[in-house]
Amino acid sequence: MTWKNWKDEYKRKLLPSPEEAVKLVKSENWVVLAWGGGCPVALGMALSQRKHELENVIVDTSANMIGDFPWYQPGYTKAFKPRSGHIRNLDRTAHDRKELEFYPISLGTYFRRVIETPQYFSPSPDFFMASVSPPDEHGYCCFGYSIWCNVFYTRYYKAKTIIAQVDPSIPNIYGDTKINVSQIDWFVETSSPRPEIQLYKASDEEVSAIEIIGELCATLVQNRDCVLPGAGGVSQRMMVYLGDRQDLGYHAEVMLSGFPPLVEAGIFNGKYKTTNPGKAVAAEFLKSAAEEAVIANNPAFEFYGIEYTDDPKIIASNDNVVAINNAVTIDLSGQVCSEAIGSRQYTGTGGQLDFHLGGLMSRGGRSITVLPATFRAKSGELGSRIVPAFDPATPVTVPRTLTQWVITEYGMVNLMGRTLRERAEDIISLAHPDFRAELRKEFHKLPWW
């Protein structure tokens, strides 16, 4: 495509409104909306208004953080069949009502398998809808700093029809973030600002625990390590304790606000990374307005799809990887659950197992699981996140055979090579003192004791 003719093609593909664009969707179609902060909310909202015209439209809105779509409410099940591979606040109640289906996937492994063996998977979606910047002078649009599955559904597992919601607030970002006008079937232009992403705010009690965990976790990070923090508040918080380290690398699924200044300060310079040397890599930036300017047009930051960021082989190609992930609960054998409360699916596996494996496979690598020892129930009662054994139907995110370092505000232990009895003793030492006696009592009732 030449500079002269991409503008003509863009004009031919430009539809007058989101409402006009979603008229292309038919009953029984499968529609995927871009994940995370790149979700095209205007297109999704317009599609939801066709409630009385459509039947059995599958809508995948995984890791949705900004689109509070009506199909999450009762009364839409005839028209729309929502599904998600990573439940969030907006769609959790629909899942609890059994009006949204969850599909468990480990992101990097799943997307890589589809790319390499597409013959074993269902045909690609009928529609993929995403947010992009206006085309640049060469006819390329940018996905910005929310990539997730955008490259996957526009290049590898290409949807039959691709519709782009043009958002003038999306800046130019380095990495695998561009798509040409010729690769998009239809465009709609919108002027409404994107909704703000509402992040979880920890209580003062939680913050106190997180501070101690962060200090302990930082003791396992050395100069020249490649740090892979998970998306949760606990794993991300420890970044503030790395201010005296040198030549650190960064490779993550989600980059949180507060990290870009560490790149500017030269602490995270990626000097010793094997993949993307000199670059801080992620699939999503959950941003603050001030830090947008730091990342935009800055070659020190690169964003890629999760088929790249979450691929254990790519992660492990770096030496001295330190993978740090959050947990909801851990049992006395070392099984980790990071996605459910008992049998209630609360979120998703995301890339946690992929990053955990990458840390273990990396030469000199470490994999760390962090969690506060307790939680505060709505009733105000204190509960333990360390349990004797998981309740039936509780999903295991990281199996006990792969659990390495575990850290709470009460200490840190390395479980690898420990017997079940030794593991139980180690993990009980990480529990709140008020729960230790009961945990020991319950441990002696377990069949493997």
Side-chain angles (χ1 to χ4, degrees):
M1 175 177 293
T2 66
W3 185 86
K4 291 183 179 180
N5 67 21
W6 74 256
K7 293 183 179 180
D8 294 334
E9 183 166 356
Y10 179 79
K11 289 179 181 178
R12 288 197 306 272
K13 295 177 175 179
L14 183 61
L15 297 174
S17 67
E19 289 74 18
E20 194 67 24
V22 299
K23 287 182 180 179
L24 297 168
V25 178
K26 309 298 182 186
S27 293
E28 310 290 338
N29 279 173
W30 172 18
V31 180
V32 178
L33 301 185
W35 298 16
C39 181
V41 176
L43 285 168
M45 287 296 185
L47 180 60
S48 71
Q49 300 307 309
R50 297 191 61 201
K51 170 185 176 182
H52 300 295
E53 305 169 29
L54 298 171
E55 291 186 2
N56 299 320
V57 173
I58 296 173
V59 283
D60 186 327
T61 55
S62 300
N64 179 20
M65 292 180 271
I66 58 175
D68 191 7
F69 300 117
W71 53 62
Y72 296 143
Q73 304 304 317
Y76 281 76
T77 54
K78 182 179 180 182
F80 300 105
K81 308 296 182 186
R83 58 182 297 186
S84 174
H86 197 84
I87 295 169
R88 299 282 302 182
N89 294 343
L90 294 172
D91 54 5
R92 190 169 292 128
T93 56
H95 179 262
D96 290 344
R97 293 194 313 271
K98 303 186 186 304
E99 293 182 357
L100 176 144
E101 289 195 73
F102 171 74
Y103 57 98
I105 54 172
S106 193
L107 295 181
T109 302
Y110 168 74
F111 283 96
R112 180 55 56 188
R113 292 280 63 74
V114 177
I115 292 171
E116 294 178 358
T117 58
Q119 68 272 26
Y120 299 124
F121 294 87
S122 61
S124 59
D126 298 291
F127 290 88
F128 178 66
M129 303 180 184
S131 299
V132 300
S133 71
D136 64 15
E137 65 271 25
H138 305 294
Y140 284 88
C141 301
C142 184
F143 291 122
Y145 26 57
S146 184
I147 310 301
W148 291 99
C149 59
N150 293 9
V151 175
F152 178 76
Y153 284 118
T154 58
R155 183 186 305 162
Y156 301 116
Y157 195 46
K158 189 174 180 181
K160 298 176 183 65
T161 301
I162 298 169
I163 304 178
Q165 176 179 306
V166 181
D167 183 344
S169 71
I170 294 178
N172 178 58
I173 301 294
Y174 283 86
D176 193 1
T177 63
K178 301 296 179 66
I179 183 169
N180 194 272
V181 165
S182 63
Q183 298 170 281
I184 297 173
D185 296 296
W186 302 102
F187 293 88
V188 292
E189 295 178 343
T190 60
S191 57
S192 301
R194 281 172 292 161
E196 287 293 321
I197 296 174
Q198 300 299 316
L199 300 178
Y200 175 75
K201 184 173 176 59
S203 66
D204 292 341
E205 186 177 34
E206 290 171 316
V207 168
S208 297
I210 291 170
E211 299 290 346
I212 299 171
I213 293 169
E215 292 179 358
L216 291 171
C217 192
T219 65
L220 295 175
V221 180
Q222 304 165 4
N223 293 340
R224 302 186 180 185
D225 283 347
C226 183
V227 182
L228 283 67
V234 182
S235 57
Q236 290 278 345
R237 180 64 183 173
M238 60 81 55
M239 304 297 283
V240 303
Y241 296 100
L242 301 178
D244 62 346
R245 303 300 194 276
Q246 297 178 359
D247 300 328
L248 295 177
Y250 186 91
H251 184 110
E253 181 181 284
V254 175
M255 183 185 297
L256 286 187
S257 177
F259 172 73
L262 299 177
V263 175
E264 288 191 300
I267 298 165
F268 283 85
N269 57 31
K271 183 177 179 180
Y272 292 93
K273 290 178 67 179
T274 302
T275 61
N276 310 98
K279 313 295 183 181
V281 169
E284 167 86 60
F285 176 45
L286 301 182
K287 59 193 179 301
S288 67
E291 289 171 337
E292 285 187 20
V294 176
I295 293 179
N297 294 299
N298 188 340
F301 298 87
E302 291 185 343
F303 286 76
Y304 294 86
I306 46 181
E307 73 283 346
Y308 182 85
T309 61
D310 292 32
D311 185 339
K313 293 183 292 185
I314 290 173
I315 293 167
S317 67
N318 290 294
D319 292 341
N320 303 311
V321 163
V322 184
I324 307 159
N325 286 293
N326 302 272
V328 175
T329 55
I330 184 170
D331 75 7
L332 295 184
S333 75
Q335 294 186 122
V336 174
C337 175
S338 301
E339 59 194 89
I341 300 173
S343 61
R344 182 198 178 201
Q345 195 72 41
Y346 192 75
T347 176
T349 302
Q352 177 157 343
L353 184 57
D354 297 311
F355 278 82
H356 190 93
L357 285 169
L360 296 180
M361 293 160 57
S362 164
R363 184 171 63 178
R366 284 133 280 162
S367 287
I368 305 168
T369 300
V370 295
L371 72 162
T374 60
F375 66 92
R376 184 71 64 178
K378 290 183 179 179
S379 63
E381 185 178 359
L382 195 67
S384 178
R385 293 182 183 271
I386 295 172
V387 298
F390 286 159
D391 293 336
T394 299
V396 175
T397 310
V398 178
R400 63 188 186 179
T401 52
L402 297 178
T403 307
Q404 189 182 24
W405 287 97
V406 180
I407 302 177
T408 75
E409 66 269 36
Y410 294 100
M412 52 196 287
V413 297
N414 184 350
L415 298 181
M416 282 201 157
R418 306 288 279 171
T419 68
L420 289 172
R421 177 187 57 79
E422 291 169 337
R423 283 169 173 252
E425 291 173 350
D426 288 344
I427 294 171
I428 289 171
S429 75
L430 303 180
H432 188 288
D434 290 352
F435 294 99
R436 292 177 188 174
E438 183 64 22
L439 286 168
R440 290 191 186 97
K441 178 182 176 181
E442 292 300 316
F443 166 64
H444 288 288
K445 296 179 183 178
L446 294 173
W448 42 263
W449 160 242

